[in-house]
Amino acid sequence: MIFQPLKITDKTGQEVILRNAETGDAENLITYLKATTAETPYLIREPDEVTLSIEEEQSFIRRIIASDRELMLVATINGKHIGNCSLMSIGGYKRYRHRCEVAIALYQEYCGRGIGKMMLETVLRTAKEAGYEQAELEVIADNKNAIALYEKTGFTKYGRFPDNMKYKNGKYADAYWMMKKL
């Protein structure tokens, strides 16, 4: 999906540009994925599991751009990639066409500045405009800040997955399934 760039201002007064990912972002997106997986235990993979090549990421970005119902929204400050939020179809079947999945992550240094909320609200508006009726996500049950953000934007918890993730140290983490009607 092509998304026209949008300028927003975060809580610190900094200008943030929201735009769709482009193939030229591939290397930065891979670096970002490696960094954010190291910064937080709440993402689904370990940093050493980020093994995408630049070509694979470019191919993924091209597929998203060509889609009329999917979006990889990138946030930048002064041209520096600081986070992204995705809008993905749940499945290609007619019975699932009303459902989409959203995911969001920011570099830790940019959390708490309202950027995540603005990105999520933008993706949810875009989802509704694309014809989705509900947005869904999974969130680790310990991730209080993310859960608060999702609840502020209208998501409700509908279920809990026990032992959803298992960490290197052998400990498990539960996750919530959350949904918002659009």
Side-chain angles (χ1 to χ4, degrees), residues 56-83:
E56 288 170 326
E57 185 70 3
Q58 287 173 332
S59 177
F60 172 75
I61 293 167
R62 279 192 290 277
R63 184 184 69 76
I64 297 298
I65 290 171
S67 170
D68 60 346
R69 300 187 81 215
E70 296 186 333
L71 173 65
M72 175 64 70
L73 188 69
V74 171
T76 63
I77 292 180
N78 298 322
K80 179 187 176 203
H81 176 251
I82 62 161

Short mmCIF file of all heavy atoms in Angstrom, two decimals, residues 56-83:
data_model
loop_
_atom_site.label_atom_id
_atom_site.label_comp_id
_atom_site.label_asym_id
_atom_site.label_seq_id
_atom_site.Cartn_x
_atom_site.Cartn_y
_atom_site.Cartn_z
N GLU A 56 15.96 -10.14 0.65
CA GLU A 56 14.71 -10.69 1.19
C GLU A 56 13.84 -9.59 1.77
O GLU A 56 12.62 -9.59 1.57
CB GLU A 56 15.02 -11.74 2.26
CG GLU A 56 15.59 -13.03 1.71
CD GLU A 56 16.12 -13.95 2.80
OE1 GLU A 56 16.65 -13.46 3.83
OE2 GLU A 56 16.00 -15.18 2.62
N GLU A 57 14.45 -8.66 2.49
CA GLU A 57 13.68 -7.55 3.06
C GLU A 57 13.13 -6.66 1.96
O GLU A 57 11.99 -6.20 2.03
CB GLU A 57 14.55 -6.76 4.05
CG GLU A 57 13.80 -5.66 4.77
CD GLU A 57 12.77 -6.14 5.79
OE1 GLU A 57 12.62 -7.36 6.01
OE2 GLU A 57 12.09 -5.27 6.37
N GLN A 58 13.90 -6.41 0.93
CA GLN A 58 13.43 -5.60 -0.20
C GLN A 58 12.24 -6.28 -0.88
O GLN A 58 11.26 -5.61 -1.25
CB GLN A 58 14.55 -5.37 -1.21
CG GLN A 58 15.59 -4.39 -0.72
CD GLN A 58 16.79 -4.29 -1.64
OE1 GLN A 58 17.14 -5.23 -2.35
NE2 GLN A 58 17.44 -3.13 -1.61
N SER A 59 12.32 -7.59 -1.04
CA SER A 59 11.21 -8.34 -1.65
C SER A 59 9.95 -8.23 -0.78
O SER A 59 8.84 -8.03 -1.30
CB SER A 59 11.63 -9.81 -1.81
OG SER A 59 10.57 -10.56 -2.32
N PHE A 60 10.11 -8.34 0.53
CA PHE A 60 8.98 -8.18 1.45
C PHE A 60 8.38 -6.78 1.32
O PHE A 60 7.16 -6.63 1.22
CB PHE A 60 9.46 -8.43 2.89
CG PHE A 60 8.43 -8.11 3.93
CD1 PHE A 60 7.35 -8.94 4.15
CD2 PHE A 60 8.55 -6.95 4.70
CE1 PHE A 60 6.40 -8.64 5.12
CE2 PHE A 60 7.60 -6.64 5.66
CZ PHE A 60 6.53 -7.48 5.87
N ILE A 61 9.22 -5.76 1.29
CA ILE A 61 8.74 -4.38 1.17
C ILE A 61 8.00 -4.19 -0.15
O ILE A 61 6.93 -3.57 -0.18
CB ILE A 61 9.91 -3.38 1.31
CG1 ILE A 61 10.46 -3.42 2.74
CG2 ILE A 61 9.46 -1.97 0.93
CD1 ILE A 61 11.80 -2.71 2.90
N ARG A 62 8.53 -4.72 -1.25
CA ARG A 62 7.85 -4.60 -2.55
C ARG A 62 6.46 -5.25 -2.50
O ARG A 62 5.49 -4.72 -3.04
CB ARG A 62 8.69 -5.23 -3.66
CG ARG A 62 9.80 -4.32 -4.17
CD ARG A 62 10.42 -4.85 -5.46
NE ARG A 62 11.20 -6.06 -5.26
CZ ARG A 62 12.47 -6.09 -4.85
NH1 ARG A 62 13.11 -4.97 -4.62
NH2 ARG A 62 13.09 -7.24 -4.70
N ARG A 63 6.37 -6.41 -1.84
CA ARG A 63 5.07 -7.09 -1.72
C ARG A 63 4.08 -6.24 -0.94
O ARG A 63 2.92 -6.12 -1.31
CB ARG A 63 5.25 -8.45 -1.03
CG ARG A 63 3.94 -9.24 -0.98
CD ARG A 63 4.06 -10.54 -0.22
NE ARG A 63 4.25 -10.37 1.20
CZ ARG A 63 3.29 -10.03 2.08
NH1 ARG A 63 2.07 -9.77 1.66
NH2 ARG A 63 3.55 -9.92 3.36
N ILE A 64 4.54 -5.62 0.14
CA ILE A 64 3.66 -4.78 0.96
C ILE A 64 3.21 -3.54 0.17
O ILE A 64 2.03 -3.16 0.20
CB ILE A 64 4.37 -4.35 2.27
CG1 ILE A 64 4.70 -5.56 3.13
CG2 ILE A 64 3.56 -3.33 3.04
CD1 ILE A 64 3.52 -6.35 3.60
N ILE A 65 4.12 -2.92 -0.55
CA ILE A 65 3.79 -1.74 -1.36
C ILE A 65 2.75 -2.10 -2.42
O ILE A 65 1.83 -1.34 -2.69
CB ILE A 65 5.05 -1.12 -1.98
CG1 ILE A 65 5.91 -0.47 -0.89
CG2 ILE A 65 4.68 -0.08 -3.05
CD1 ILE A 65 7.29 -0.02 -1.36
N ALA A 66 2.90 -3.27 -3.03
CA ALA A 66 1.98 -3.71 -4.09
C ALA A 66 0.61 -4.08 -3.55
O ALA A 66 -0.38 -4.09 -4.30
CB ALA A 66 2.59 -4.88 -4.85
N SER A 67 0.51 -4.38 -2.27
CA SER A 67 -0.76 -4.77 -1.67
C SER A 67 -1.66 -3.55 -1.50
O SER A 67 -1.20 -2.46 -1.21
CB SER A 67 -0.50 -5.39 -0.29
OG SER A 67 -1.72 -5.55 0.41
N ASP A 68 -2.95 -3.77 -1.66
CA ASP A 68 -3.89 -2.66 -1.43
C ASP A 68 -4.43 -2.66 0.00
O ASP A 68 -5.17 -1.77 0.38
CB ASP A 68 -5.04 -2.70 -2.44
CG ASP A 68 -5.85 -3.99 -2.38
OD1 ASP A 68 -5.40 -4.97 -1.75
OD2 ASP A 68 -6.96 -4.01 -2.96
N ARG A 69 -4.01 -3.66 0.80
CA ARG A 69 -4.56 -3.76 2.16
C ARG A 69 -3.50 -4.00 3.23
O ARG A 69 -3.84 -4.31 4.36
CB ARG A 69 -5.61 -4.86 2.22
CG ARG A 69 -6.77 -4.61 1.26
CD ARG A 69 -7.88 -5.60 1.43
NE ARG A 69 -8.72 -5.20 2.56
CZ ARG A 69 -9.30 -6.05 3.39
NH1 ARG A 69 -9.15 -7.35 3.24
NH2 ARG A 69 -10.04 -5.63 4.38
N GLU A 70 -2.23 -3.86 2.90
CA GLU A 70 -1.17 -4.05 3.89
C GLU A 70 -0.24 -2.85 3.85
O GLU A 70 -0.06 -2.22 2.82
CB GLU A 70 -0.40 -5.35 3.63
CG GLU A 70 -1.28 -6.56 3.80
CD GLU A 70 -0.54 -7.88 3.71
OE1 GLU A 70 0.51 -7.95 3.04
OE2 GLU A 70 -1.01 -8.85 4.33
N LEU A 71 0.36 -2.56 5.01
CA LEU A 71 1.21 -1.37 5.13
C LEU A 71 2.32 -1.63 6.13
O LEU A 71 2.08 -2.21 7.20
CB LEU A 71 0.36 -0.19 5.60
CG LEU A 71 1.08 1.12 5.95
CD1 LEU A 71 1.74 1.74 4.73
CD2 LEU A 71 0.12 2.11 6.59
N MET A 72 3.51 -1.19 5.79
CA MET A 72 4.61 -1.12 6.74
C MET A 72 4.88 0.37 6.91
O MET A 72 5.44 1.02 6.02
CB MET A 72 5.86 -1.84 6.23
CG MET A 72 7.08 -1.68 7.13
SD MET A 72 6.92 -2.39 8.77
CE MET A 72 6.93 -4.12 8.38
N LEU A 73 4.41 0.93 8.01
CA LEU A 73 4.54 2.35 8.30
C LEU A 73 5.85 2.57 9.05
O LEU A 73 6.09 1.95 10.09
CB LEU A 73 3.36 2.83 9.15
CG LEU A 73 3.24 4.32 9.39
CD1 LEU A 73 2.88 5.04 8.10
CD2 LEU A 73 2.18 4.58 10.45
N VAL A 74 6.69 3.44 8.52
CA VAL A 74 8.00 3.74 9.11
C VAL A 74 7.93 5.14 9.73
O VAL A 74 7.38 6.06 9.14
CB VAL A 74 9.10 3.69 8.03
CG1 VAL A 74 10.42 4.20 8.54
CG2 VAL A 74 9.24 2.28 7.49
N ALA A 75 8.50 5.27 10.93
CA ALA A 75 8.62 6.58 11.58
C ALA A 75 10.08 7.01 11.52
O ALA A 75 10.98 6.22 11.81
CB ALA A 75 8.17 6.49 13.03
N THR A 76 10.29 8.28 11.13
CA THR A 76 11.64 8.83 11.09
C THR A 76 11.69 10.19 11.76
O THR A 76 10.70 10.93 11.77
CB THR A 76 12.17 8.98 9.64
OG1 THR A 76 11.35 9.92 8.94
CG2 THR A 76 12.16 7.66 8.88
N ILE A 77 12.85 10.51 12.31
CA ILE A 77 13.14 11.85 12.83
C ILE A 77 14.45 12.27 12.16
O ILE A 77 15.45 11.57 12.24
CB ILE A 77 13.30 11.86 14.37
CG1 ILE A 77 11.96 11.57 15.04
CG2 ILE A 77 13.86 13.20 14.84
CD1 ILE A 77 11.99 11.54 16.56
N ASN A 78 14.39 13.41 11.49
CA ASN A 78 15.56 13.91 10.74
C ASN A 78 16.14 12.84 9.84
O ASN A 78 17.35 12.69 9.72
CB ASN A 78 16.63 14.44 11.70
CG ASN A 78 16.14 15.62 12.51
OD1 ASN A 78 15.40 16.47 12.01
ND2 ASN A 78 16.52 15.67 13.77
N GLY A 79 15.26 12.06 9.21
CA GLY A 79 15.69 11.01 8.29
C GLY A 79 16.14 9.72 8.94
O GLY A 79 16.40 8.74 8.25
N LYS A 80 16.22 9.68 10.29
CA LYS A 80 16.65 8.48 11.00
C LYS A 80 15.45 7.61 11.34
O LYS A 80 14.48 8.08 11.94
CB LYS A 80 17.39 8.86 12.28
CG LYS A 80 17.84 7.66 13.09
CD LYS A 80 18.43 8.07 14.43
CE LYS A 80 18.76 6.81 15.22
NZ LYS A 80 18.81 7.03 16.63
N HIS A 81 15.52 6.34 10.98
CA HIS A 81 14.45 5.39 11.27
C HIS A 81 14.39 5.17 12.78
O HIS A 81 15.39 4.83 13.40
CB HIS A 81 14.74 4.08 10.54
CG HIS A 81 13.76 3.01 10.84
ND1 HIS A 81 14.08 1.92 11.60
CD2 HIS A 81 12.46 2.85 10.50
CE1 HIS A 81 13.03 1.14 11.70
NE2 HIS A 81 12.04 1.68 11.05
N ILE A 82 13.20 5.35 13.38
CA ILE A 82 13.06 5.20 14.84
C ILE A 82 12.05 4.14 15.24
O ILE A 82 11.97 3.77 16.41
CB ILE A 82 12.69 6.54 15.50
CG1 ILE A 82 11.34 7.04 14.99
CG2 ILE A 82 13.78 7.58 15.28
CD1 ILE A 82 10.70 8.08 15.88
N GLY A 83 11.26 3.65 14.28
CA GLY A 83 10.27 2.64 14.61
C GLY A 83 9.38 2.35 13.43
O GLY A 83 9.48 3.01 12.39
#
